[in-house]
Amino acid sequence: MVSQRPRIAIYYASHDGQTRKIVDRLGEFLGMRGVGATITDLSASSSPIVDTEADFVLLAAAIRYGFHLPAARRFLTRLRAVVPEERIALVSINLTARKAGRQTAEGNVYLRNWLKRTGIRPALAVAVAGRLDYPAYRWFDRMMIQAIMSISGGPTDPTTVVEYTNWSEVENLSQKLTNLVTSTP
Ligand SMILES: Cc1cc2nc3c(=O)[nH]c(=O)nc-3n(C[C@H](O)[C@H](O)[C@H](O)COP(=O)(O)O)c2cc1C
């Protein structure tokens, strides 16, 4: 008997490109483990079709000023209506997750609030650190991020560019997803 390769439908909302980079790498890691991934940019359409044929659905969203990007929040509402929560994973991309212990719902305020506000209990929910790129920000955004960084003990030098994403965490995530997708009946 030929067993079919499991497949994860990945949807993402990215403003500056780091979330896109993360899901692209995640897709590569999944491929190495024999799991297929289809990746959809939520900004490409006003109401992207929810892939109910996939074995699992992952939604990754960047944080801006305390909230996940609106396209991801809207999509989650539609996703929940047609896919059971035990086949959904949520990934929050933000700068708070650069710190130890801030990758879980308990430790990451944005992820925790997202779950609380929506009441969803997905199979997996994690926060992954994004990228800081002061030179690329507009004046106002740079000032705001500098203020946030100053409070949280991060860099404030306006020339700073740091990719905080921990790629081995992304690889671990691909392992967890592979376990979920191969154990779900
Ligand atoms: C205008 C702006 C606001 C942000 N607000 C927050 C925030 O409130 N909390 C946080 O942890 N990170 C915040 N970030 C950091 C982003 O979440 C991080 O840069 C992430 O990599 C963005 O993902 P993207 O490149 O896919 O858009 C902000 C970044 C920008 C540019």
Side-chain angles (χ1 to χ4, degrees), residues 123-137:
L124 188 65
V126 293
V128 173
R131 176 182 163 96
L132 175 68
D133 188 348
Y134 283 128
Y137 301 155

Side-chain angles (χ1 to χ4, degrees), residues 12-22 61-67 69 93-98 108 110 128-133 137-138 141-142 144-145 148-149 165:
Y12 72 92
S14 180
H15 191 282
D16 298 324
Q18 191 65 14
T19 304
R20 181 200 323 257
K21 188 171 173 183
I22 291 167
I63 283 281
R64 267 176 95 85
Y65 293 128
F67 290 93
L69 292 175
I93 312 300
N94 55 72
L95 285 178
T96 305
R98 75 187 189 282
N108 192 287
Y110 306 115
V128 173
R131 176 182 163 96
L132 175 68
D133 188 348
Y137 301 155
R138 294 179 311 166
D141 291 337
R142 187 161 55 246
M144 293 302 283
I145 305 298
I148 294 169
M149 282 293 160
T165 310

Side-chain angles (χ1 to χ4, degrees), residues 82-161:
V82 288
V83 173
E85 18 185 54
E86 60 270 20
R87 287 205 286 126
I88 296 175
L90 297 181
V91 181
S92 174
I93 312 300
N94 55 72
L95 285 178
T96 305
R98 75 187 189 282
K99 294 191 160 185
R102 303 285 169 89
Q103 294 78 35
T104 61
E106 295 75 45
N108 192 287
V109 67
Y110 306 115
L111 185 58
R112 187 168 63 243
N113 286 346
W114 206 16
L115 300 182
K116 204 169 151 193
R117 262 188 225 117
T118 57
I120 191 171
R121 289 189 303 163
L124 188 65
V126 293
V128 173
R131 176 182 163 96
L132 175 68
D133 188 348
Y134 283 128
Y137 301 155
R138 294 179 311 166
W139 176 83
F140 178 79
D141 291 337
R142 187 161 55 246
M143 298 293 287
M144 293 302 283
I145 305 298
Q146 279 176 314
I148 294 169
M149 282 293 160
S150 165
I151 296 164
S152 65
T156 53
D157 177 337
T159 62
T160 308
V161 179

